[in-house]
Amino acid sequence: MPSLKDLRNRIASVKATQKITKAMQMVAAAKLRRAQTAAEAARPYAERMEKVLAGLAAGLGAGSQKPMLLGGTGRHDVHLFVVCTAERGLCGAFNSSISRLARDKAQALIAAGKTVKILCVGKKGYDILKRQFGANIIELIELRGVRQLGFENGDAIGRKIIQLFEKGEFDVCTLFFSRFRSVIAQIPTALQLIPAEFAADEAAAGSQAVYEYEPEQEEILSALLPRNISVQVFRALLENAASEQGARMSAMDNATRNAGDMIKKQTLKYNRTRQAMITKELIEIISGAEAL
């Protein structure tokens, strides 16, 4: 049975932890608003870019030669996974849910005889995936020193993906990130970047409209497709930033509540132990007085 001193130390330790989790919750709440605003502001541009590309792709004639980023290599043997996670932990299941989605898809592809290469953006995803896919990871890109995400960060990753594709390093590229819905809901998402895929409704909407393009559609696609990759990567980074802060805020709120419950239980145990010791001492004093 722990002594009163041990119980006091335990209560003091939990109270100190509770102060830390409460502070982290408040910091995450302050950062969440800015990150959510940035993520929501990036969505219309990225969605409109997809619609424009879907219309251009749908308007290509049968004899037109599709750009490589749109048509792909014609093979599906080598897959590149770009897994975007956070640089820090203490944000619930945010990092593990993204890594789990990438891991499940990688296992399915490897079981089918495909080759999987992984480009990790964020230290936590790298730490999780290297246990099972250490040999498949080709590079780790850390953004720990970036205070505020900018398009140049997504563009640098997009250019690296295109360089690998031009060198023939892979046939299919898939981007993994977490789409922000709310503080308590972040959706792990897999988005195929190369060859570019567009939703059926976007392609249909683009094919119904009749446009005349200057210059030709192939030339416009050749210019827009590389930029679309950078835009989608940048959007994924912004969505991840908002999802991370939302998950951290929720996790720290739960931790603060759990610490409060633990403090109550330990305080009750401390009071009962103290009362038992006082009662025991009184019984000993009374017994000694009666013995005299």
Side-chain angles (χ1 to χ4, degrees):
M1 182 176 179
S3 64
L4 290 178
K5 183 179 180 181
D6 293 336
L7 290 173
R8 284 197 300 268
N9 291 339
R10 189 175 301 173
I11 292 171
S13 175
V14 176
K15 283 183 177 180
T17 303
Q18 187 184 38
K19 290 180 180 178
I20 295 173
T21 56
K22 184 64 177 178
M24 292 185 66
Q25 177 190 351
M26 295 174 67
V27 170
K31 291 182 177 180
L32 173 62
R33 185 173 182 179
R34 184 171 62 249
Q36 182 179 354
T37 301
E40 291 175 349
R43 287 174 185 171
Y45 183 86
E47 292 171 357
R48 188 60 183 170
M49 174 77 80
E50 290 182 353
K51 290 181 180 179
V52 170
L53 290 174
L56 288 167
L60 287 176
S64 302
Q65 183 176 2
K66 293 184 178 180
M68 288 287 290
L69 294 177
L70 180 62
T73 61
R75 302 184 303 273
H76 295 81
D77 298 329
V78 183
H79 290 253
L80 175 67
F81 286 2
V82 182
V83 184
C84 300
T85 55
E87 297 289 348
R88 298 173 179 84
L90 296 178
C91 48
F94 168 74
N95 294 307
S96 60
S97 60
I98 301 173
S99 302
R100 188 185 304 112
L101 178 62
R103 182 191 62 198
D104 293 343
K105 288 187 176 294
Q107 289 175 339
L109 288 171
I110 292 174
K114 309 295 183 181
T115 301
V116 175
K117 298 180 180 180
I118 302 175
L119 174 64
C120 293
V121 182
K123 186 71 166 55
K124 286 300 176 180
Y126 172 78
D127 292 339
I128 296 173
L129 292 173
K130 74 177 181 180
R131 303 168 191 167
Q132 187 173 357
F133 301 101
N136 303 82
I137 298 176
I138 59 174
E139 188 175 350
L140 166 63
I141 299 176
E142 293 193 39
L143 301 175
R144 186 181 297 271
V146 179
R147 297 185 61 87
Q148 185 173 357
L149 288 170
F151 180 72
E152 61 274 8
N153 303 116
D155 189 43
I157 299 172
R159 291 178 183 275
K160 184 177 292 292
I161 294 172
I162 294 173
Q163 289 175 0
L164 292 173
F165 182 68
E166 290 176 347
K167 291 179 181 178
E169 296 288 335
F170 64 88
D171 302 316
V172 181
C173 176
T174 307
L175 178 66
F176 292 87
F177 63 98
S178 184
R179 185 163 57 86
F180 178 80
R181 175 177 288 179
S182 67
V183 175
I184 60 174
Q186 300 86 34
I187 306 172
T189 304
L191 175 65
Q192 183 172 309
L193 296 179
I194 302 175
E197 283 190 343
F198 306 107
D201 54 346
E202 293 178 357
S207 61
Q208 290 174 1
V210 178
Y211 297 98
E212 291 186 0
Y213 295 97
E214 179 65 32
E216 295 298 325
Q217 291 167 278
E218 294 85 349
E219 188 176 347
I220 298 175
L221 281 171
S222 300
L224 285 185
L225 284 171
R227 183 174 181 83
N228 179 61
I229 293 176
S230 299
V231 168
Q232 297 303 330
V233 172
F234 178 51
R235 178 191 179 186
L237 295 178
L238 293 178
E239 294 280 351
N240 259 13
S243 298
E244 177 190 353
Q245 298 304 330
R248 179 171 289 114
M249 180 180 171
S250 179
M252 291 301 101
D253 179 59
N254 292 333
T256 302
R257 293 174 185 272
N258 292 337
D261 294 339
M262 187 177 295
I263 290 171
K264 290 180 181 178
K265 291 179 181 179
Q266 293 297 324
T267 302
L268 181 61
K269 187 176 182 180
Y270 171 82
N271 291 336
R272 286 178 175 175
T273 305
R274 181 171 174 270
Q275 186 63 44
M277 293 181 67
I278 293 173
T279 304
K280 182 181 179 182
E281 290 176 359
L282 287 174
I283 293 174
E284 291 177 351
I285 293 172
I286 294 171
S287 300
E290 288 179 353
L292 294 176

